[in-house]
Each structure stands twice: as structure tokens, then as C-alpha cells.
Amino acid sequence: MKKKIFSGVQPTGNLHLGNYLGAIKNFVELNNDEENKCIFCVVDLHAITVKQNPKELRSNIRETVATFLASGIDANKSIIFNQSTVSAHSEAAWVLGCVARTGWLNRMTQFKEKAGKDKEKASLGLYSYPVLMAADILLYDSTHVPVGNDQKQHLELCRDIAQKFNIDFAADNFFKVPEPLIQKDFSRIMSLKDGLKKMSKSDLSDFSRINLTDDEDQIISKIKKSKTDTLPLPNNFNELENRPEAKNLLGIYSSLKNSDLEKTIKNFAGKNFSEFKENLSQELVDKIGPISLEIKKLLGDKGYLDKILSNGFEKANEIATKKMKNIREIVGF
Ligand code: TYM
């Protein structure tokens, strides 16, 4: 059976190494396998759960498409589209929101983190965010969803919603219950300034992350300034305990090299950070440098990026509209 892959990325700017190693790199590998049918969505409806500048949002949507393409996703072998153009996503989200229980949503740690101390001031959209995510996935009968570790709980919620809908409406197997695809080792890339904090677009310090649009000099200077500890590099995995920054940097290197962590540890055992950082910078410049240049090139041809999105819209809309018609019938509209 062909795998039906679906994933989404928010067009909120500053796409970074965490997005690349945790998700997009995996999208490219899945997309290269002829057996898979892949759909990659620019989730602008999710983006507006926190305030966005409309002009920047429009430009970030194109930049996300450019990042997909520059990273190696082939638009001829996948569907790339913009979520808000397919109205079935909003419609399905409402129906699924009537299936999901508030008790389930109250447990979502990402909402708690993003809403911060003053939950009453968070938007209703931010709270129901995972329901919209379930709509995205379920409309396409997706079987597999590649994401970083931070989306695991949302995927579990999506599975619960699918199962409850199928039971509530006696619609056996109507919604396919999707499997998350989360990489084993490098699914959570941490900040370059704090190995206990996730690398994130919203971190105020640009030195906390490598942006996919960073140039060679920026990459080298960010790695040079990245936080480390005072010990030499460890001799084995156990010695990484309580050394989050060392673990993160060694993990990034391994992931870029498609190698396992044990092997990387062995290669750099007992060396000092400055030597390791030179190797890491080189690897980043080799892998991220060309992506950064290609993103900038693609952004010069807005018409081409818009064409990719309009082709993607046609295909995605056809699939989603059909599924939505069935949802409407099942629900009794
Ligand atoms: P978003 O836009 O926050 O992130 C896009 C992808 O990047 C992964 N990611 C990371 N992986 C490892 N380390 C990090 N530091 C890191 N930061 C981000 C995320 O896990 C994600 O896979 N809710 C989703 C978008 C979404 C979606 C969907 C995903 C909407 N609908 C349907 C899958 C299926 C999000 O906000 O991703």
C-alpha cells in the first residue's frame, strides 16, 4: 500500500535548522520514495493564531514554499499548497471541534507554553489549534505524518479525534488513524544559547538558531558563539549526561552527516570544542549554504512560487472537497 504522507509548516518566518533537521529533511527523503504520495502544506490558518503582519505573512508564505523547494522537495512529485486556499480545512475543523473534548485540549502542553502565564489573553484559535491540525491530516486520509517531537501530542489528539468520530457516527474506518513519523535521535534540536530550550523561530535572540536563510559568515559566527561547557568532548554516550549543549551540537553534526551519535562521539572523543566547532561549521556551510542561496534565488521569481501554490491548490482542493462532502453527509447536514 502506498503511504499517504501529510505535513505542514507555519509561514511565520525564520525557518531554522530545527525545522530542517526535525521535519523538512525527512519530507525530502519521503518524497524521493516513488511509493509515497506526499502533501506538504503551508499552514497560514495556524499562523494567525498569534498576531501576524499581513504583508509579512504573505511574504512568509512564499518563503516557506521556496524553503521546501530549495531543500529538495520536488513539486512534480508532491502537492504543495496553502492551507487557507482550501476552505474544507476550516469547515472540517469546526465539525471536528464538536467531536474533540475540551478536557483533551486542556492537556496540550504547547498551548500552555505559547499562552504563557496569561491564558485568558490567548486567542481561541491558539487553543483549538490542534483541532485544525487534525482536520488538515484527516481530510487527505493521510497514513503517515512526519513531524518533530514537539508535535507528538497533537498527533495523538488527532488520532483520538479520528477514532471518536468513527465511533460516534458509526462510520467504521471513515477517518484513517494516522501514524506519526518522528525521527528517533534528532527530533528535538535545541537552542544554540541554551541546550534545555527548543530551537525556535520566536526566540528573541537570532544567535539561538541557524536560519535557513543565513549566509556562510552568519553560520560560522553563530556556531563560534554557541554555548558549550568547559570540559573536552565526551568519550562515550554516558558522559553526555547533564551536558545538554554538547549533546545538541554533536546531535546536529550527526544528523547533518546522516550518521549516528555514537559514531560522532567516537570521532571527537577528548577533543576540544573549538576544533569540533570548525568541523560543525563546515558541515553546516556545506548543507545549509546551498539551501540559503537557492531560497534567495527562488524568492526572486514570485510568479513561479505562486504557480506552484495554485497547481497545489487544484489538486488538494479536489481531494479535500470530496472528503468534506462525505463528512457533511455522515454528520447529517
Ligand atoms: P511548525 O511550523 O512549528 O514547525 C514545522 C516542523 O518543524 C518541527 N520543528 C522542530 N523539530 C526539531 N527541533 C526543533 N527545534 C523544531 N522546531 C520545529 C515541528 O515539529 C514541525 O514538524 N503544528 C505544526 C504545523 C502543522 C502540521 C499540520 C504538521 C499544521 N498542520 C498537520 C503536521 C500535520 C507546527 O506548528 O509546525
Side-chain angles (χ1 to χ4, degrees):
M1 197 188 76
K2 277 195 169 196
K3 280 189 192 147
K4 288 188 184 170
I5 312 284
F6 185 99
S7 200
V9 174
Q10 292 193 68
T12 38
N14 291 340
L15 283 180
H16 52 73
L17 189 65
N19 298 124
Y20 179 71
L21 296 179
I24 299 172
K25 182 169 165 258
N26 212 2
F27 298 175
V28 177
E29 278 161 27
L30 290 161
N31 190 215
N32 283 340
D33 183 339
E34 300 288 336
E35 286 294 298
N36 297 334
K37 279 178 118 172
C38 295
I39 305 182
F40 301 114
C41 184
V42 181
V43 292
D44 54 349
L45 295 171
H46 279 105
I48 62 161
T49 55
V50 296
K51 200 166 188 309
Q52 300 293 330
N53 171 322
K55 214 171 141 204
E56 282 171 19
L57 178 63
R58 208 161 288 135
S59 133
N60 286 333
I61 290 169
R62 291 196 182 105
E63 189 167 316
T64 309
V65 180
T67 305
F68 285 166
L69 301 176
S71 302
I73 293 175
D74 182 347
N76 295 317
K77 284 201 267 172
S78 59
I79 300 176
I80 296 174
F81 79 106
N82 191 11
Q83 187 188 32
S84 66
T85 59
V86 177
S87 57
H89 288 249
S90 313
E91 201 179 345
W94 181 263
V95 175
L96 297 180
C98 298
V99 174
R101 306 288 92 182
T102 54
W104 301 352
L105 285 157
N106 288 341
R107 286 196 283 276
M108 294 297 116
T109 52
Q110 187 158 338
F111 174 74
K112 290 180 197 159
E113 277 165 27
K114 285 198 176 168
K117 281 200 193 87
D118 203 351
K119 279 212 287 272
E120 307 255 318
K121 284 214 174 116
S123 72
L124 179 59
L126 189 66
Y127 180 71
S128 62
Y129 177 112
V131 176
L132 176 60
M133 201 170 143
D136 300 341
I137 296 166
L138 299 177
L139 275 172
Y140 298 90
D141 293 333
S142 315
T143 60
H144 294 83
V145 183
V147 281
N149 191 286
D150 60 337
Q151 298 299 317
K152 193 170 171 217
Q153 199 184 26
H154 292 161
L155 259 284
E156 280 157 12
L157 185 85
C158 170
R159 291 167 58 90
D160 289 342
I161 293 175
Q163 278 161 336
K164 181 160 164 54
F165 182 98
N166 290 349
I167 292 169
D168 285 359
F169 292 98
D172 203 20
N173 211 25
F174 173 69
F175 280 133
K176 304 286 168 285
V177 181
E179 294 294 332
L181 286 179
I182 300 175
Q183 301 178 79
K184 206 162 50 86
D185 289 327
F186 316 114
S187 59
R188 200 172 164 83
I189 303 296
M190 310 309 271
S191 155
L192 299 178
K193 292 267 140 212
D194 178 352
L196 297 174
K197 232 169 93 185
K198 194 180 74 171
M199 186 178 283
S200 150
K201 325 173 187 191
S202 52
D203 198 313
L204 293 177
S205 165
D206 199 51
F207 274 86
S208 68
R209 61 181 166 262
I210 304 281
N211 298 310
L212 297 178
T213 47
D214 281 347
D215 62 27
E216 195 172 324
D217 290 345
Q218 285 168 308
I219 293 174
I220 293 170
S221 123
K222 285 179 177 181
I223 292 300
K224 217 177 235 164
K225 294 200 175 116
S226 64
K227 188 176 171 196
T228 53
D229 51 41
T230 51
L231 299 171
L233 285 157
N235 293 306
N236 55 53
F237 189 79
N238 291 340
E239 284 179 21
L240 268 183
E241 208 181 339
N242 299 324
R243 300 185 65 188
E245 285 81 21
K247 187 167 177 204
N248 188 40
L249 295 180
L250 287 163
I252 291 174
Y253 183 88
S254 307
S255 179
L256 289 166
K257 290 285 258 187
N258 284 326
S259 169
D260 58 68
L261 189 55
E262 298 279 355
K263 208 167 144 198
T264 306
I265 294 174
K266 222 186 225 164
N267 277 350
F268 293 99
K271 302 237 163 84
N272 57 31
F273 272 106
S274 60
E275 186 181 343
F276 169 66
K277 280 183 170 183
E278 269 173 35
N279 284 273
L280 177 59
S281 291
Q282 193 53 53
E283 209 50 51
L284 281 164
V285 166
D286 289 351
K287 293 272 155 59
I288 304 302
I291 295 178
S292 169
L293 286 177
E294 185 64 16
I295 293 174
K296 284 169 194 147
K297 197 178 116 199
L298 285 165
L299 285 175
D301 193 349
K302 293 196 175 70
Y304 174 66
L305 298 173
D306 291 350
K307 186 82 194 136
I308 301 268
L309 285 177
S310 63
N311 285 344
F313 159 74
E314 297 287 340
K315 293 180 195 154
N317 194 50
E318 196 185 327
I319 303 170
T321 306
K322 253 189 218 152
K323 191 77 180 176
M324 194 60 228
K325 187 167 173 277
N326 292 333
I327 296 173
R328 295 173 66 91
E329 269 163 28
I330 289 173
V331 168
F333 290 162

